PDB file of all heavy atoms in Angstrom:
ATOM      1  N   MET A 141       3.878   1.656  -2.442  1.00 98.00           N
ATOM      2  CA  MET A 141       3.182   2.340  -1.381  1.00 98.00           C
ATOM      3  C   MET A 141       2.145   3.276  -1.977  1.00 98.00           C
ATOM      4  O   MET A 141       2.449   4.082  -2.858  1.00 98.00           O
ATOM      5  CB  MET A 141       4.192   3.048  -0.507  1.00 98.00           C
ATOM      6  CG  MET A 141       5.110   2.175   0.299  1.00 98.00           C
ATOM      7  SD  MET A 141       4.243   1.006   1.411  1.00 98.00           S
ATOM      8  CE  MET A 141       3.360   2.187   2.507  1.00 98.00           C
ATOM      9  N   THR A 142       0.942   3.173  -1.469  1.00 97.00           N
ATOM     10  CA  THR A 142      -0.141   4.060  -1.915  1.00 97.00           C
ATOM     11  C   THR A 142      -0.519   5.105  -0.854  1.00 97.00           C
ATOM     12  O   THR A 142      -1.548   5.764  -0.934  1.00 97.00           O
ATOM     13  CB  THR A 142      -1.350   3.260  -2.335  1.00 97.00           C
ATOM     14  OG1 THR A 142      -1.562   2.147  -1.406  1.00 97.00           O
ATOM     15  CG2 THR A 142      -1.124   2.599  -3.729  1.00 97.00           C
ATOM     16  N   VAL A 143       0.377   5.193   0.154  1.00 96.00           N
ATOM     17  CA  VAL A 143       0.431   6.318   1.079  1.00 96.00           C
ATOM     18  C   VAL A 143       1.898   6.537   1.344  1.00 96.00           C
ATOM     19  O   VAL A 143       2.773   5.726   1.036  1.00 96.00           O
ATOM     20  CB  VAL A 143      -0.299   6.063   2.433  1.00 96.00           C
ATOM     21  CG1 VAL A 143      -1.790   5.808   2.201  1.00 96.00           C
ATOM     22  CG2 VAL A 143       0.364   4.904   3.168  1.00 96.00           C
ATOM     23  N   PHE A 144       2.243   7.721   1.968  1.00 93.00           N
ATOM     24  CA  PHE A 144       3.584   7.920   2.448  1.00 93.00           C
ATOM     25  C   PHE A 144       3.763   7.165   3.797  1.00 93.00           C
ATOM     26  O   PHE A 144       2.938   7.375   4.711  1.00 93.00           O
ATOM     27  CB  PHE A 144       3.887   9.380   2.593  1.00 93.00           C
ATOM     28  CG  PHE A 144       4.049  10.093   1.291  1.00 93.00           C
ATOM     29  CD1 PHE A 144       2.978  10.734   0.680  1.00 93.00           C
ATOM     30  CD2 PHE A 144       5.252  10.000   0.604  1.00 93.00           C
ATOM     31  CE1 PHE A 144       3.115  11.339  -0.590  1.00 93.00           C
ATOM     32  CE2 PHE A 144       5.389  10.595  -0.659  1.00 93.00           C
ATOM     33  CZ  PHE A 144       4.330  11.275  -1.236  1.00 93.00           C
ATOM     34  N   PRO A 145       4.690   6.272   3.867  1.00 86.00           N
ATOM     35  CA  PRO A 145       4.765   5.325   5.002  1.00 86.00           C
ATOM     36  C   PRO A 145       5.070   6.071   6.296  1.00 86.00           C
ATOM     37  O   PRO A 145       5.777   7.083   6.347  1.00 86.00           O
ATOM     38  CB  PRO A 145       5.874   4.356   4.619  1.00 86.00           C
ATOM     39  CG  PRO A 145       6.727   5.095   3.630  1.00 86.00           C
ATOM     40  CD  PRO A 145       5.792   6.003   2.872  1.00 86.00           C
ATOM     41  N   GLY A 146       4.550   5.444   7.344  1.00 78.00           N
ATOM     42  CA  GLY A 146       4.807   5.990   8.719  1.00 78.00           C
ATOM     43  C   GLY A 146       3.630   5.792   9.651  1.00 78.00           C
ATOM     44  O   GLY A 146       3.803   5.463  10.835  1.00 78.00           O
ATOM     45  N   TYR A 147       2.440   6.000   9.122  1.00 75.00           N
ATOM     46  CA  TYR A 147       1.253   5.911   9.946  1.00 75.00           C
ATOM     47  C   TYR A 147       0.086   5.267   9.201  1.00 75.00           C
ATOM     48  O   TYR A 147      -0.068   5.418   7.965  1.00 75.00           O
ATOM     49  CB  TYR A 147       0.778   7.335  10.391  1.00 75.00           C
ATOM     50  CG  TYR A 147       1.764   7.974  11.346  1.00 75.00           C
ATOM     51  CD1 TYR A 147       2.748   8.861  10.812  1.00 75.00           C
ATOM     52  CD2 TYR A 147       1.809   7.744  12.705  1.00 75.00           C
ATOM     53  CE1 TYR A 147       3.662   9.450  11.649  1.00 75.00           C
ATOM     54  CE2 TYR A 147       2.691   8.301  13.547  1.00 75.00           C
ATOM     55  CZ  TYR A 147       3.652   9.165  12.988  1.00 75.00           C
ATOM     56  OH  TYR A 147       4.591   9.740  13.835  1.00 75.00           O
ATOM     57  N   GLY A 148      -0.693   4.509   9.925  1.00 72.00           N
ATOM     58  CA  GLY A 148      -1.860   3.827   9.327  1.00 72.00           C
ATOM     59  C   GLY A 148      -3.012   4.835   9.193  1.00 72.00           C
ATOM     60  O   GLY A 148      -3.004   5.914   9.749  1.00 72.00           O
ATOM     61  N   GLY A 149      -4.054   4.387   8.465  1.00 76.00           N
ATOM     62  CA  GLY A 149      -5.268   5.152   8.379  1.00 76.00           C
ATOM     63  C   GLY A 149      -5.278   6.321   7.407  1.00 76.00           C
ATOM     64  O   GLY A 149      -6.151   7.162   7.401  1.00 76.00           O
ATOM     65  N   GLN A 150      -4.194   6.389   6.511  1.00 82.00           N
ATOM     66  CA  GLN A 150      -4.124   7.451   5.518  1.00 82.00           C
ATOM     67  C   GLN A 150      -4.977   7.146   4.292  1.00 82.00           C
ATOM     68  O   GLN A 150      -5.366   5.999   4.052  1.00 82.00           O
ATOM     69  CB  GLN A 150      -2.693   7.675   5.117  1.00 82.00           C
ATOM     70  CG  GLN A 150      -1.753   8.055   6.231  1.00 82.00           C
ATOM     71  CD  GLN A 150      -0.324   8.272   5.660  1.00 82.00           C
ATOM     72  OE1 GLN A 150      -0.095   9.164   4.827  1.00 82.00           O
ATOM     73  NE2 GLN A 150       0.624   7.458   6.120  1.00 82.00           N
ATOM     74  N   ALA A 151      -5.250   8.199   3.528  1.00 92.00           N
ATOM     75  CA  ALA A 151      -6.025   8.005   2.315  1.00 92.00           C
ATOM     76  C   ALA A 151      -5.154   7.482   1.142  1.00 92.00           C
ATOM     77  O   ALA A 151      -4.031   7.920   0.968  1.00 92.00           O
ATOM     78  CB  ALA A 151      -6.709   9.338   1.928  1.00 92.00           C
ATOM     79  N   PHE A 152      -5.716   6.637   0.346  1.00 96.00           N
ATOM     80  CA  PHE A 152      -5.140   6.054  -0.822  1.00 96.00           C
ATOM     81  C   PHE A 152      -4.734   7.173  -1.859  1.00 96.00           C
ATOM     82  O   PHE A 152      -5.525   8.036  -2.161  1.00 96.00           O
ATOM     83  CB  PHE A 152      -6.126   5.100  -1.465  1.00 96.00           C
ATOM     84  CG  PHE A 152      -5.607   4.277  -2.634  1.00 96.00           C
ATOM     85  CD1 PHE A 152      -5.010   3.069  -2.436  1.00 96.00           C
ATOM     86  CD2 PHE A 152      -5.729   4.741  -3.940  1.00 96.00           C
ATOM     87  CE1 PHE A 152      -4.591   2.282  -3.511  1.00 96.00           C
ATOM     88  CE2 PHE A 152      -5.316   4.003  -5.012  1.00 96.00           C
ATOM     89  CZ  PHE A 152      -4.740   2.754  -4.815  1.00 96.00           C
ATOM     90  N   ILE A 153      -3.534   7.100  -2.417  1.00 97.00           N
ATOM     91  CA  ILE A 153      -3.032   8.093  -3.386  1.00 97.00           C
ATOM     92  C   ILE A 153      -3.230   7.507  -4.804  1.00 97.00           C
ATOM     93  O   ILE A 153      -2.510   6.611  -5.205  1.00 97.00           O
ATOM     94  CB  ILE A 153      -1.524   8.434  -3.127  1.00 97.00           C
ATOM     95  CG1 ILE A 153      -1.388   9.015  -1.701  1.00 97.00           C
ATOM     96  CG2 ILE A 153      -1.040   9.376  -4.184  1.00 97.00           C
ATOM     97  CD1 ILE A 153       0.057   9.247  -1.335  1.00 97.00           C
ATOM     98  N   GLU A 154      -4.214   7.999  -5.469  1.00 97.00           N
ATOM     99  CA  GLU A 154      -4.601   7.413  -6.769  1.00 97.00           C
ATOM    100  C   GLU A 154      -3.523   7.627  -7.875  1.00 97.00           C
ATOM    101  O   GLU A 154      -3.478   6.785  -8.827  1.00 97.00           O
ATOM    102  CB  GLU A 154      -5.923   8.042  -7.268  1.00 97.00           C
ATOM    103  CG  GLU A 154      -7.146   7.616  -6.370  1.00 97.00           C
ATOM    104  CD  GLU A 154      -8.411   8.061  -7.005  1.00 97.00           C
ATOM    105  OE1 GLU A 154      -8.424   8.674  -8.082  1.00 97.00           O
ATOM    106  OE2 GLU A 154      -9.467   7.813  -6.369  1.00 97.00           O
ATOM    107  N   ARG A 155      -2.703   8.623  -7.711  1.00 97.00           N
ATOM    108  CA  ARG A 155      -1.712   8.852  -8.796  1.00 97.00           C
ATOM    109  C   ARG A 155      -0.638   7.769  -8.864  1.00 97.00           C
ATOM    110  O   ARG A 155       0.178   7.747  -9.769  1.00 97.00           O
ATOM    111  CB  ARG A 155      -1.052  10.210  -8.619  1.00 97.00           C
ATOM    112  CG  ARG A 155      -0.325  10.461  -7.330  1.00 97.00           C
ATOM    113  CD  ARG A 155       0.193  11.912  -7.252  1.00 97.00           C
ATOM    114  NE  ARG A 155       0.579  12.233  -5.901  1.00 97.00           N
ATOM    115  CZ  ARG A 155       1.779  11.934  -5.394  1.00 97.00           C
ATOM    116  NH1 ARG A 155       2.673  11.259  -6.081  1.00 97.00           N
ATOM    117  NH2 ARG A 155       2.077  12.336  -4.169  1.00 97.00           N
ATOM    118  N   VAL A 156      -0.665   6.815  -7.891  1.00 98.00           N
ATOM    119  CA  VAL A 156       0.262   5.702  -7.980  1.00 98.00           C
ATOM    120  C   VAL A 156      -0.224   4.638  -8.959  1.00 98.00           C
ATOM    121  O   VAL A 156       0.539   3.810  -9.429  1.00 98.00           O
ATOM    122  CB  VAL A 156       0.446   5.059  -6.560  1.00 98.00           C
ATOM    123  CG1 VAL A 156       1.279   3.823  -6.632  1.00 98.00           C
ATOM    124  CG2 VAL A 156       1.032   6.075  -5.607  1.00 98.00           C
ATOM    125  N   LEU A 157      -1.488   4.655  -9.390  1.00 98.00           N
ATOM    126  CA  LEU A 157      -2.062   3.621 -10.196  1.00 98.00           C
ATOM    127  C   LEU A 157      -1.324   3.466 -11.538  1.00 98.00           C
ATOM    128  O   LEU A 157      -1.025   2.328 -11.968  1.00 98.00           O
ATOM    129  CB  LEU A 157      -3.539   3.889 -10.457  1.00 98.00           C
ATOM    130  CG  LEU A 157      -4.408   3.772  -9.230  1.00 98.00           C
ATOM    131  CD1 LEU A 157      -5.884   4.251  -9.541  1.00 98.00           C
ATOM    132  CD2 LEU A 157      -4.430   2.365  -8.649  1.00 98.00           C
ATOM    133  N   PRO A 158      -0.943   4.503 -12.270  1.00 98.00           N
ATOM    134  CA  PRO A 158      -0.207   4.316 -13.501  1.00 98.00           C
ATOM    135  C   PRO A 158       1.168   3.630 -13.273  1.00 98.00           C
ATOM    136  O   PRO A 158       1.616   2.906 -14.161  1.00 98.00           O
ATOM    137  CB  PRO A 158      -0.015   5.699 -14.083  1.00 98.00           C
ATOM    138  CG  PRO A 158      -1.175   6.477 -13.465  1.00 98.00           C
ATOM    139  CD  PRO A 158      -1.341   5.925 -12.118  1.00 98.00           C
ATOM    140  N   LYS A 159       1.757   3.882 -12.148  1.00 98.00           N
ATOM    141  CA  LYS A 159       3.050   3.206 -11.861  1.00 98.00           C
ATOM    142  C   LYS A 159       2.864   1.709 -11.716  1.00 98.00           C
ATOM    143  O   LYS A 159       3.687   0.926 -12.168  1.00 98.00           O
ATOM    144  CB  LYS A 159       3.641   3.798 -10.547  1.00 98.00           C
ATOM    145  CG  LYS A 159       4.939   3.096 -10.140  1.00 98.00           C
ATOM    146  CD  LYS A 159       5.712   3.939  -9.083  1.00 98.00           C
ATOM    147  CE  LYS A 159       4.983   4.116  -7.796  1.00 98.00           C
ATOM    148  NZ  LYS A 159       5.783   4.873  -6.771  1.00 98.00           N
ATOM    149  N   ILE A 160       1.751   1.311 -11.123  1.00 98.00           N
ATOM    150  CA  ILE A 160       1.451  -0.147 -10.958  1.00 98.00           C
ATOM    151  C   ILE A 160       1.343  -0.718 -12.370  1.00 98.00           C
ATOM    152  O   ILE A 160       1.897  -1.822 -12.622  1.00 98.00           O
ATOM    153  CB  ILE A 160       0.113  -0.333 -10.201  1.00 98.00           C
ATOM    154  CG1 ILE A 160       0.312   0.162  -8.731  1.00 98.00           C
ATOM    155  CG2 ILE A 160      -0.298  -1.776 -10.235  1.00 98.00           C
ATOM    156  CD1 ILE A 160      -0.965   0.258  -7.925  1.00 98.00           C
ATOM    157  N   THR A 161       0.610  -0.106 -13.252  1.00 97.00           N
ATOM    158  CA  THR A 161       0.487  -0.573 -14.628  1.00 97.00           C
ATOM    159  C   THR A 161       1.840  -0.654 -15.328  1.00 97.00           C
ATOM    160  O   THR A 161       2.110  -1.662 -16.049  1.00 97.00           O
ATOM    161  CB  THR A 161      -0.493   0.299 -15.379  1.00 97.00           C
ATOM    162  OG1 THR A 161      -1.756   0.330 -14.744  1.00 97.00           O
ATOM    163  CG2 THR A 161      -0.696  -0.188 -16.821  1.00 97.00           C
ATOM    164  N   GLN A 162       2.617   0.339 -15.173  1.00 97.00           N
ATOM    165  CA  GLN A 162       3.949   0.332 -15.751  1.00 97.00           C
ATOM    166  C   GLN A 162       4.789  -0.858 -15.277  1.00 97.00           C
ATOM    167  O   GLN A 162       5.482  -1.544 -16.055  1.00 97.00           O
ATOM    168  CB  GLN A 162       4.696   1.646 -15.454  1.00 97.00           C
ATOM    169  CG  GLN A 162       6.024   1.801 -16.177  1.00 97.00           C
ATOM    170  CD  GLN A 162       6.692   3.126 -15.870  1.00 97.00           C
ATOM    171  OE1 GLN A 162       6.059   4.009 -15.247  1.00 97.00           O
ATOM    172  NE2 GLN A 162       7.905   3.285 -16.314  1.00 97.00           N
ATOM    173  N   LEU A 163       4.725  -1.131 -14.015  1.00 98.00           N
ATOM    174  CA  LEU A 163       5.507  -2.229 -13.384  1.00 98.00           C
ATOM    175  C   LEU A 163       4.927  -3.567 -13.845  1.00 98.00           C
ATOM    176  O   LEU A 163       5.679  -4.521 -14.117  1.00 98.00           O
ATOM    177  CB  LEU A 163       5.523  -2.123 -11.896  1.00 98.00           C
ATOM    178  CG  LEU A 163       6.435  -1.022 -11.308  1.00 98.00           C
ATOM    179  CD1 LEU A 163       6.105  -0.764  -9.843  1.00 98.00           C
ATOM    180  CD2 LEU A 163       7.898  -1.388 -11.538  1.00 98.00           C
ATOM    181  N   ARG A 164       3.648  -3.680 -13.961  1.00 97.00           N
ATOM    182  CA  ARG A 164       3.056  -4.910 -14.407  1.00 97.00           C
ATOM    183  C   ARG A 164       3.441  -5.234 -15.797  1.00 97.00           C
ATOM    184  O   ARG A 164       3.732  -6.391 -16.212  1.00 97.00           O
ATOM    185  CB  ARG A 164       1.494  -4.858 -14.267  1.00 97.00           C
ATOM    186  CG  ARG A 164       0.740  -6.046 -14.853  1.00 97.00           C
ATOM    187  CD  ARG A 164       1.217  -7.377 -14.267  1.00 97.00           C
ATOM    188  NE  ARG A 164       0.811  -7.465 -12.837  1.00 97.00           N
ATOM    189  CZ  ARG A 164       1.473  -8.197 -11.964  1.00 97.00           C
ATOM    190  NH1 ARG A 164       2.526  -8.961 -12.360  1.00 97.00           N
ATOM    191  NH2 ARG A 164       1.071  -8.263 -10.691  1.00 97.00           N
ATOM    192  N   THR A 165       3.508  -4.200 -16.670  1.00 96.00           N
ATOM    193  CA  THR A 165       3.950  -4.404 -18.044  1.00 96.00           C
ATOM    194  C   THR A 165       5.407  -4.872 -18.066  1.00 96.00           C
ATOM    195  O   THR A 165       5.779  -5.754 -18.844  1.00 96.00           O
ATOM    196  CB  THR A 165       3.805  -3.081 -18.831  1.00 96.00           C
ATOM    197  OG1 THR A 165       2.409  -2.710 -18.835  1.00 96.00           O
ATOM    198  CG2 THR A 165       4.228  -3.269 -20.258  1.00 96.00           C
ATOM    199  N   ALA A 166       6.269  -4.280 -17.218  1.00 97.00           N
ATOM    200  CA  ALA A 166       7.668  -4.595 -17.203  1.00 97.00           C
ATOM    201  C   ALA A 166       7.924  -5.933 -16.566  1.00 97.00           C
ATOM    202  O   ALA A 166       8.954  -6.601 -16.901  1.00 97.00           O
ATOM    203  CB  ALA A 166       8.465  -3.520 -16.511  1.00 97.00           C
ATOM    204  N   ALA A 167       7.082  -6.313 -15.628  1.00 96.00           N
ATOM    205  CA  ALA A 167       7.343  -7.582 -14.858  1.00 96.00           C
ATOM    206  C   ALA A 167       6.039  -8.386 -14.716  1.00 96.00           C
ATOM    207  O   ALA A 167       5.436  -8.476 -13.635  1.00 96.00           O
ATOM    208  CB  ALA A 167       7.858  -7.162 -13.484  1.00 96.00           C
ATOM    209  N   PRO A 168       5.611  -9.011 -15.825  1.00 96.00           N
ATOM    210  CA  PRO A 168       4.325  -9.703 -15.804  1.00 96.00           C
ATOM    211  C   PRO A 168       4.263 -10.853 -14.818  1.00 96.00           C
ATOM    212  O   PRO A 168       3.156 -11.249 -14.422  1.00 96.00           O
ATOM    213  CB  PRO A 168       4.130 -10.130 -17.278  1.00 96.00           C
ATOM    214  CG  PRO A 168       5.477 -10.077 -17.842  1.00 96.00           C
ATOM    215  CD  PRO A 168       6.251  -9.021 -17.155  1.00 96.00           C
ATOM    216  N   ALA A 169       5.405 -11.451 -14.425  1.00 95.00           N
ATOM    217  CA  ALA A 169       5.389 -12.613 -13.586  1.00 95.00           C
ATOM    218  C   ALA A 169       5.594 -12.312 -12.088  1.00 95.00           C
ATOM    219  O   ALA A 169       5.422 -13.167 -11.254  1.00 95.00           O
ATOM    220  CB  ALA A 169       6.455 -13.616 -14.036  1.00 95.00           C
ATOM    221  N   LEU A 170       5.949 -11.045 -11.816  1.00 97.00           N
ATOM    222  CA  LEU A 170       6.179 -10.684 -10.403  1.00 97.00           C
ATOM    223  C   LEU A 170       4.881 -10.361  -9.660  1.00 97.00           C
ATOM    224  O   LEU A 170       3.916  -9.828 -10.259  1.00 97.00           O
ATOM    225  CB  LEU A 170       7.088  -9.450 -10.312  1.00 97.00           C
ATOM    226  CG  LEU A 170       8.593  -9.645 -10.593  1.00 97.00           C
ATOM    227  CD1 LEU A 170       9.368  -8.348 -10.264  1.00 97.00           C
ATOM    228  CD2 LEU A 170       9.213 -10.794  -9.793  1.00 97.00           C
TER     229      LEU A 170
END
Side-chain angles (χ1 to χ4, degrees):
M141 292 300 300
T142 42
V143 299
F144 287 96
Y147 294 94
Q150 299 182 63
F152 185 92
I153 300 173
E154 292 188 1
R155 58 185 167 81
V156 177
L157 293 174
K159 177 165 64 178
I160 295 169
T161 301
Q162 185 179 353
L163 287 166
R164 174 56 67 206
T165 300
L170 285 187

